[in-house]
Amino acid sequence: MKWIVPGLIATCALFLSACSSNYVMTTKDGQMIMTNGKPLIDRETGLVSYRDESGHEKQINGDEVSSMVER
């Protein structure tokens, strides 16, 4: 029974690390934005929400993004 909790923790950590892919967004003016995790696109507002490499939540207008590539 002592192995169940560490096993569950290890399994959760494995699933969480597999789900968070990092992306590079390129803006129309040539700026490259590195993200931690996949950016989220709000279809209603047109904003792209992302977490930068320092862990800060940020948003950018989707019209300014020319490409978004998984790294």
Side-chain angles (χ1 to χ4, degrees):
M1 289 300 249
K2 291 183 179 182
W3 59 271
I4 292 176
V5 174
L8 287 174
I9 292 172
T11 303
C12 289
L14 178 65
F15 283 121
L16 289 175
S17 66
C19 293
S20 63
S21 298
N22 296 325
Y23 283 73
V24 178
M25 291 190 300
T26 305
T27 63
K28 290 183 179 176
D29 65 359
Q31 180 183 5
M32 295 181 76
I33 301 170
M34 310 297 179
T35 71
N36 275 340
K38 184 174 183 177
L40 301 173
I41 302 167
D42 186 334
R43 300 281 181 207
E44 290 181 21
T45 63
L47 293 174
V48 177
S49 301
Y50 65 95
R51 187 176 303 271
D52 68 10
E53 291 185 306
S54 300
H56 298 100
E57 289 283 336
K58 296 192 174 185
Q59 290 183 324
I60 187 172
N61 189 326
D63 291 339
E64 297 177 31
V65 178
S66 62
S67 70
M68 192 180 310
V69 180
E70 187 175 359
R71 56 177 166 141

